[in-house]
Amino acid sequence: MIPNLSSRLSLLSPEHSLQAEYGGIRIEAQDWPLGSDHVLDNPFSVSADENDYTGIGCFQMGLDCTRKDIADLLEAQRKLRDLDLLDRIQKDELRQLASDFKKLDQTRALGQDGLAALKELIDLLTAATGSETDKLRIYSGLHSGFRTRQETQIWGMYDVEPTMDTMNLYISNKTHDRAATILHTFLSSRGYTRFQCFTAEMKWAKQQGTLSSTWGLCPRILADIEQLSPAETLLWLQRLSRAKNDDARDLSSKVSAYCRYQLMEVPSLLQLRELNSTGYLSGDVSAESLVMSRLSWYREQGCSLPDASLALSVFTDIDARLPGILMSGNTQALAQFEDVITKIIQKDRIDASADMLALAVFCAFRRVALNEIYLEVLDRNPRPNLDPVQASCFAENYALGARCDAYLDLTPMACGKILSDRFRAYFRKYQPPRRDEVFTELPTAYASMDIDLDPKGGHEELPLYYRFTFLGIFAVPALIDITLLTTIGRGLYLSTYMSNVDKNMTTTALMVSLLLVGGFGGWISSGGSYYLYAMAFPAMSMFVLTRFIAGLCVAVVGGVFALIGIGAASSFVSGVVFFAYLVMLTTYLMTLSALSVYQLPGFQFQSVSHLPRLSSNLKLFANCWFIVRDELLS
Amino acid sequence: MPLAPKADRDSHHQDKHQRSAVPNAIARFIEKLTADITRLVPAKPPKKDLKTFGAFLSSVSVPLSPCQIRLLSQWDVIVVDPLQPGVLDALAWDLSTAYILARLDVQNLTGSHAANDSKAVINSLDVLSQTLATSLKRQSDPHSYFRGILLTGFREHFSPAVLKKLQEYVNALGLDVWLELSPPEYLSTSECRDIDMTGIRGIVYRNGTIRPDGDRQNYFMMGEMRKVMRALAGQKPMGEATFAMWETVNDGVELAHDVVQRAYKWCNYNSAMLWIGPQSALTDAKVALKKCVSAEPLGALMWLKNDEIIAAQDRWRSNDKVGLLAPASQPGTVLTCGRSPSTHVALNPCTKHSTV
């Protein structure tokens, strides 16, 4: 598959390789300016301001902490304890701790520093039952409550209650090693210096086997230093270098070595990683400069390294062949890749050729994977807004999941930036068409086929009788009325044999009823049609009925009053005529207006607002006909 | 219930009369054709799921060369040109398990670009029916080995109403009707509306997802095709129509892995068959075997998502030291894999041998 791989990556010792200078700064040694005195103090036990750390508790190495800070935090923890919100360590765990400490005691490792205190701790732990009467109570609190105002991380504090002679230990729930923190805090409470507490912790770590092999420090100290910012690390390193205390020399040298590693090696490692991932994938860094940077890193480490041009040829070769392998579906080759990579990348056993091969393989796969992600994101979001955040959201949603870092060694933001830059370049070449404003569908190449849309929907064919009866609801009664009037002289509404007074009354009744219906009908249809569109049918019916009945009531009551009035003014009969016509006409017309609410779009039922015009025309026509009739009759 | 836009509904209402109007002369002609019909294909074979699709449009040698046999046997649906020499003979050699489509280009057959009036349409129909009668089987064969026809170049000749009648005639012959649609405008809006898809067995889209220059068709370029697909989807259930994407790229174009993978993904989503190949693969079997994309390509992201690879990557990128800690006498690991015999290259023990 890849010819002559082993010979191409054969290692040469550094002397044989090119001694090209790649511009780097070599730091030989630090030379701190001579500052203040106090150089004889133990930097672990005493702060830079000459405050003794004894008895404060267990807190982060490298940062300062005062008694006042501790007092504040203790206050908060005491309150929480009173509210019963702290997690108390139970009997089983206390017994386990006791047995572990017993083992430490048996090794006699602590020596002068704390043997007595350890025995006391063991006794207290053995006697503890988790009840209220214990002499020692250990509480585990939320990590966020253990941070001072100066951002120092406290791991453990203690509090003595003089009345009951009990001691409360408060430790953070995110400590790396709970037993070590308890030991440190207890020793601190018994008056041992911080340096002695650290020594005890180191001995404990040694006994447990958790001491780091490269640095010789317990993991808690390593984690503490990692959490420091570069400025803080630098200050701490300065302090350590200046201190001339003999006791602390051993620990101090180890800690200084680790601080130096954190300051120098780790950032350059991060920068190299960034070059591999972001730099290469965005196209800013060419394959050649990537390989060269890696080789110069090997050179700094002083190990054997392969030849530059051959390494570059391996890199470009793998990069060129990978798409072909994937397209032809060569699963065997992929399995081989997997096999080789998992075998040669073992922790602490990677040499330069393995590293170079891994670089070539991972960079090739990452580049192809990013192309796939790019197409997928553009398919799902064809109109990106060129903001990198949007691109990274879509990439995570559809391709990467939450593990962008694990697959591509990129943060999601960096990935989004690379993708959005590519979009920009692509859209410069293929300009997208103008966005259609009425287009409400979310654009995506994986769109549904919209089979729910009915192309023929909404266009109902109304049968003929339907269309006829719409108009007929007004026209037919009027037609019948006129026909009857002309033929037999008795219409539906009036007849020619009525007296003038009666005719006046009926006409007035019509007018008043039209007014009433106009008001109430408008009221009904104003609200009713909204309920229909919202498909809230019970509410709609209720609405319409209440108003209908209201209209009827008004008509009836008004009619009664009018009856009395007219009966008093002129004759009772006219009053009755007026009342009857009023009520009948109002009922009929309001029914029509209520019915007009129940219509769907596309239908042609006219609402009652058209009614006055239509009936006034009819009335006019009827009046004309009466006049004509009268003339004819007379 | 969502409604189509009002403009569409109105024009649908308007053109409803137009749609169903086949000029009388044409209708009579088609009736005449249908009257004296002899079935070309005797019985309807059982329905088989059609998964793969391919095209080979040149003449074949008789007997078929091994390349050609291998090529033609790997697809469920094969599109061939029945007028090319040797094709009918090749079919008789039992390619009968395949679903074979005869590609008939109406413009080529009639020799004219468009049919403007009824006479021209009748002429086109005549030519087509003659071709169907004579070119789909040899004289000696009892029946035709084709299962359907792929009609192309029909848009200028036949209006949707005429097409419907034509499709009924072809169905009466025992053949299915497939349509071939090409960019840039696959079907116009009015044709989408009027065409009756219920009788069409399948549709082939040319260059639906990949452009001839090898780049992908982006979302906007695929808009026309999407419109046609929606029109079809509105008329019949998705399960009954078959789609195929016929992606021809120019000769000499290198297909990019991501473009091909995206084409496969899109076609899988839309249940469409896919054929990707260069122009010369349509005529040369050797080129077709070598250059056509036969299966979905593997994904690089999938490989990276492997658990062991993630662990290895974590180890590699968090590694801060290069160079073995172990003493120099440690033997290197020997990994032999691959077809070639292992060659142990004696090198500095610090290296890892790998013969791949």
Side-chain angles (χ1 to χ4, degrees):
Chain A
M1 183 165 66
I2 301 164
N4 296 328
L5 187 68
S6 44
S7 62
R8 280 203 264 178
L9 287 182
S10 65
L11 297 175
L12 308 165
S13 55
E15 294 88 70
H16 293 259
S17 60
L18 291 166
Q19 291 293 332
E21 285 300 313
Y22 279 95
I25 302 172
R26 246 190 118 63
I27 299 180
E28 295 291 345
Q30 297 95 341
D31 206 12
W32 304 110
L34 279 178
S36 55
D37 3 40
H38 323 298
V39 290
L40 290 177
D41 293 333
N42 188 329
F44 297 102
S45 307
V46 178
S47 78
D49 312 330
E50 288 232 326
N51 296 326
D52 198 4
Y53 285 145
T54 314
I56 286 187
C58 177
F59 60 93
Q60 190 176 6
M61 174 185 284
L63 293 176
D64 196 20
C65 179
T66 60
R67 287 205 156 69
K68 181 155 185 332
D69 296 330
I70 294 282
D72 293 336
L73 288 178
L74 266 180
E75 188 64 41
Q77 292 296 321
R78 250 185 244 126
K79 281 204 193 89
L80 286 173
R81 191 199 68 206
D82 291 337
L83 289 172
D84 215 14
L85 290 172
L86 286 181
D87 195 20
R88 175 115 180 248
I89 294 190
Q90 298 302 321
K91 186 165 141 193
D92 299 330
E93 206 179 330
L94 294 171
R95 293 277 182 274
Q96 180 63 33
L97 285 169
S99 65
D100 289 336
F101 286 141
K102 262 201 205 104
K103 284 199 209 98
L104 181 65
D105 188 34
Q106 278 157 10
T107 61
R108 299 256 165 223
L110 278 186
Q112 291 298 83
D113 306 319
L115 199 60
L118 184 63
K119 282 197 180 354
E120 197 184 336
L121 179 62
I122 293 172
D123 291 334
L124 280 173
L125 282 174
T126 332
T129 52
S131 66
E132 288 305 310
T133 55
D134 287 348
K135 294 276 187 217
L136 175 69
R137 296 196 284 241
I138 309 182
Y139 294 96
S140 164
L142 278 184
H143 188 66
S144 48
F146 282 80
R147 218 169 170 82
T148 68
R149 210 157 287 171
Q150 274 85 32
E151 309 279 318
T152 311
Q153 188 67 48
I154 310 285
W155 298 113
M157 308 183 277
Y158 69 93
D159 183 25
V160 178
E161 277 178 48
T163 48
M164 292 166 51
D165 198 23
T166 51
M167 169 171 312
N168 298 317
L169 288 183
Y170 304 99
I171 55 176
S172 158
N173 65 353
K174 286 219 177 114
T175 51
H176 298 96
D177 190 353
R178 213 174 235 190
T181 315
I182 293 173
L183 182 63
H184 186 129
T185 321
F186 189 78
L187 288 177
S188 173
S189 73
R190 285 290 171 257
Y192 288 91
T193 64
R194 193 159 165 243
F195 176 67
Q196 288 169 322
C197 300
F198 273 126
T199 326
E201 267 200 63
M202 295 278 284
K203 294 206 173 101
W204 165 256
K206 193 161 168 193
Q207 195 235 333
Q208 292 291 97
T210 52
L211 216 56
S212 156
S213 50
T214 25
W215 305 107
L217 293 168
C218 63
R220 178 243 155 151
I221 296 181
L222 293 178
D224 277 353
I225 309 263
E226 267 165 34
Q227 282 205 358
L228 293 173
S229 75
E232 290 162 356
T233 320
L234 207 55
L235 286 171
W236 177 237
L237 185 61
Q238 184 184 34
R239 183 123 193 280
L240 282 179
S241 316
R242 277 201 292 200
K244 302 252 192 309
N245 189 307
D246 285 331
D247 303 328
R249 186 155 301 160
D250 187 35
L251 185 62
S252 170
S253 64
K254 287 184 189 156
V255 174
S256 308
Y258 191 64
C259 286
R260 240 177 245 114
Y261 171 77
Q262 280 292 115
L263 283 172
M264 307 269 287
E265 309 295 322
V266 171
S268 46
L269 192 67
L270 285 176
Q271 191 186 26
L272 207 63
R273 259 173 67 180
E274 208 210 314
L275 213 62
N276 293 349
S277 56
T278 319
Y280 179 64
L281 288 176
S282 65
D284 292 337
V285 175
S286 70
E288 196 186 335
S289 39
L290 186 66
V291 169
M292 286 304 155
S293 71
R294 202 84 183 169
L295 288 173
S296 66
W297 185 55
Y298 301 154
R299 212 169 286 123
E300 275 168 27
Q301 310 243 338
C303 68
S304 320
L305 65 160
D307 179 55
S309 54
L310 290 178
L312 182 61
S313 70
V314 168
F315 188 95
T316 45
D317 212 9
I318 295 184
D319 198 47
R321 279 176 197 235
L322 185 62
I325 293 174
L326 291 173
M327 285 253 273
S328 56
N330 194 345
T331 45
Q332 204 195 11
L334 285 192
Q336 264 180 23
F337 268 125
E338 189 183 325
D339 209 23
V340 169
I341 290 290
T342 44
K343 281 214 178 75
I344 66 176
I345 306 288
Q346 303 289 343
K347 200 160 165 47
D348 289 338
R349 293 182 57 204
I350 304 177
D351 70 343
S353 56
D355 193 78
M356 184 53 72
L357 181 63
L359 178 76
V361 168
F362 283 127
C363 283
F365 272 95
R366 281 180 196 164
R367 194 180 62 85
V368 178
L370 193 69
N371 287 343
E372 291 171 17
I373 295 170
Y374 165 73
L375 277 190
E376 179 74 22
V377 170
L378 255 194
D379 268 347
R380 299 283 177 179
N381 183 23
R383 280 188 191 273
N385 62 8
L386 299 180
D387 191 325
V389 177
Q390 194 194 48
S392 75
C393 285
F394 271 90
E396 284 195 300
N397 205 6
Y398 287 108
L400 292 167
R403 304 189 69 180
C404 182
D405 185 54
Y407 306 140
L408 298 177
D409 203 13
L410 291 173
T411 61
M413 271 304 289
C415 184
K417 182 92 186 19
I418 296 175
L419 289 175
S420 66
D421 287 341
R422 278 209 209 174
F423 294 161
R424 226 179 266 270
Y426 181 74
F427 285 130
R428 233 173 251 135
K429 196 169 151 205
Y430 294 107
Q431 192 85 325
R434 193 161 267 289
R435 189 196 182 103
D436 190 8
E437 282 312 318
V438 295
F439 199 65
T440 52
E441 186 194 326
L442 265 180
T444 161
Y446 294 92
S448 74
M449 284 294 119
D450 275 349
I451 46 183
D452 308 333
L453 278 181
D454 184 0
K456 299 199 268 286
H459 208 93
E460 300 277 345
E461 277 295 321
L462 295 176
L464 196 62
Y465 63 86
Y466 220 85
R467 284 194 269 189
F468 185 62
T469 50
F470 274 168
L471 288 173
I473 201 99
F474 302 123
V476 168
L479 198 63
I480 295 173
D481 185 39
I482 298 298
T483 323
L484 285 175
L485 264 182
T486 46
T487 48
I488 56 173
R490 287 181 207 280
L492 294 174
Y493 162 53
L494 292 176
S495 81
T496 46
Y497 304 107
M498 287 161 73
S499 62
N500 275 344
V501 172
D502 285 339
K503 279 196 225 158
N504 277 338
M505 284 292 119
T506 53
T507 317
T508 322
L510 175 65
M511 288 289 108
V512 174
S513 81
L514 281 177
L515 272 174
L516 273 179
V517 167
F520 280 98
W523 194 26
I524 291 175
S525 33
S526 67
S529 41
Y530 290 128
Y531 283 112
L532 183 69
Y533 277 115
M535 298 207 252
F537 300 123
M540 177 178 69
S541 307
M542 183 65 133
F543 184 92
V544 167
L545 264 180
T546 45
R547 278 142 186 84
F548 182 75
I549 291 169
L552 278 184
C553 291
V554 167
V556 166
V557 167
V560 165
F561 279 128
L563 173 72
I564 295 167
I566 295 172
S570 58
S571 75
F572 185 66
V573 173
S574 347
V576 169
V577 164
F578 180 82
F579 177 73
Y581 269 88
L582 180 71
V583 170
M584 278 191 313
L585 283 170
T586 316
T587 314
Y588 175 63
L589 294 171
M590 271 213 304
T591 313
L592 287 184
S593 74
L595 287 178
S596 78
V597 169
Y598 297 87
Q599 60 175 324
L600 290 169
F603 289 63
Q604 283 141 345
F605 191 75
Q606 302 292 335
S607 81
V608 80
S609 54
H610 295 270
L611 201 57
R613 211 181 331 128
L614 198 59
S615 27
S616 60
N617 285 339
L618 284 173
K619 193 187 89 58
L620 201 61
F621 182 71
N623 273 345
C624 293
W625 187 251
F626 298 149
I627 292 163
V628 168
R629 270 291 299 195
D630 288 338
E631 290 298 313
L632 285 175
L633 284 173
S634 61
Chain B
M1 172 190 66
L3 301 171
K6 187 164 190 316
D8 279 351
R9 278 187 277 132
D10 283 348
S11 43
H12 158 84
H13 192 55
Q14 249 165 283
D15 296 333
K16 196 166 132 21
H17 298 290
Q18 258 177 298
R19 189 225 281 204
S20 46
V22 181
N24 289 333
I26 299 177
R28 276 201 300 275
F29 181 76
I30 293 182
E31 274 170 33
K32 195 157 67 77
L33 283 177
T34 327
D36 46 17
I37 209 167
T38 46
R39 274 185 81 92
L40 278 178
V41 181
K44 252 295 180 262
K47 244 187 188 353
K48 195 180 76 149
D49 257 349
L50 301 170
K51 292 260 164 45
T52 51
F53 154 83
F56 190 70
L57 297 180
S58 84
S59 58
V60 289
S61 52
V62 178
L64 289 171
S65 70
C67 290
Q68 287 165 346
I69 292 179
R70 219 166 80 205
L71 187 69
L72 294 177
S73 58
Q74 66 185 13
W75 296 317
D76 288 341
V77 177
I78 311 175
V79 174
V80 289
D81 190 350
L83 303 173
Q84 296 279 351
V87 171
L88 290 175
D89 300 315
L91 288 186
W93 279 64
D94 207 17
L95 286 174
S96 59
T97 51
Y99 187 102
I100 313 207
L101 286 177
R103 184 166 184 266
L104 300 172
D105 189 341
V106 180
Q107 287 181 342
N108 281 353
L109 287 176
T110 57
S112 71
H113 180 69
N116 297 325
D117 55 355
S118 292
K119 219 153 76 78
V121 173
I122 289 178
N123 185 39
S124 313
L125 286 173
D126 194 24
V127 170
L128 197 60
S129 64
Q130 293 289 338
T131 320
L132 286 173
T134 54
S135 310
L136 291 189
K137 70 180 183 72
R138 298 182 297 188
Q139 296 290 45
S140 50
D141 291 334
H143 59 84
S144 172
Y145 292 100
F146 288 101
R147 294 277 189 79
I149 61 166
L150 181 65
L151 215 51
T152 178
F154 60 88
R155 284 180 61 211
E156 291 80 10
H157 286 261
F158 306 132
S159 72
V162 176
L163 189 66
K164 174 80 182 155
K165 294 273 182 224
L166 175 64
Q167 171 243 308
E168 282 163 6
Y169 166 65
V170 174
N171 282 350
L173 286 174
L175 296 167
D176 291 329
V177 175
W178 291 52
L179 297 178
E180 181 185 305
L181 305 173
S182 311
E185 189 193 51
Y186 291 88
L187 279 181
S188 67
T189 322
S190 58
E191 277 175 316
C192 275
R193 214 174 33 231
D194 301 335
I195 219 169
D196 189 352
M197 296 285 196
T198 45
I200 308 285
R201 174 71 177 81
I203 301 204
V204 175
Y205 298 96
R206 300 294 299 259
N207 289 104
T209 53
I210 302 183
R211 295 156 62 79
D213 61 10
D215 198 4
R216 72 205 189 272
Q217 297 272 25
N218 68 24
Y219 169 82
F220 305 105
M221 299 164 188
M222 282 165 61
E224 293 289 323
M225 187 176 68
R226 204 169 19 251
K227 197 171 60 167
V228 176
M229 287 178 80
R230 284 222 173 108
L232 175 65
Q235 290 189 20
K236 59 192 289 188
M238 293 295 278
E240 285 179 21
T242 316
F243 298 104
M245 298 284 152
W246 182 339
E247 319 287 0
T248 319
V249 292
N250 298 331
D251 291 326
V253 164
E254 189 72 37
L255 282 168
H257 159 259
D258 45 339
V259 170
V260 171
Q261 202 199 25
R262 178 250 190 184
Y264 267 94
K265 213 190 296 193
W266 192 89
C267 289
N268 277 339
Y269 177 82
N270 287 293
S271 329
M273 304 187 281
L274 180 59
W275 182 87
I276 307 176
Q279 187 70 31
S280 51
L282 291 174
T283 45
D284 188 345
K286 284 204 198 65
V287 173
L289 278 173
K290 203 162 70 132
K291 292 250 171 134
C292 280
V293 178
S294 51
E296 182 166 357
L298 302 167
L301 194 57
M302 277 293 121
W303 186 84
L304 281 174
K305 284 187 180 178
N306 200 331
D307 280 335
E308 290 174 15
I309 296 296
I310 294 175
Q313 227 192 72
D314 279 338
R315 285 198 299 266
W316 175 67
R317 58 196 177 118
S318 58
N319 174 48
D320 51 2
K321 266 196 279 305
V322 171
L324 281 179
L325 296 180
S329 57
Q330 179 114 344
T333 316
V334 175
L335 299 161
T336 52
C337 22
R339 292 176 290 274
S340 52
S342 56
T343 53
H344 297 255
V345 183
L347 289 173
N348 188 330
C350 287
T351 57
K352 305 275 182 277
H353 302 263
S354 46
T355 321
V356 289

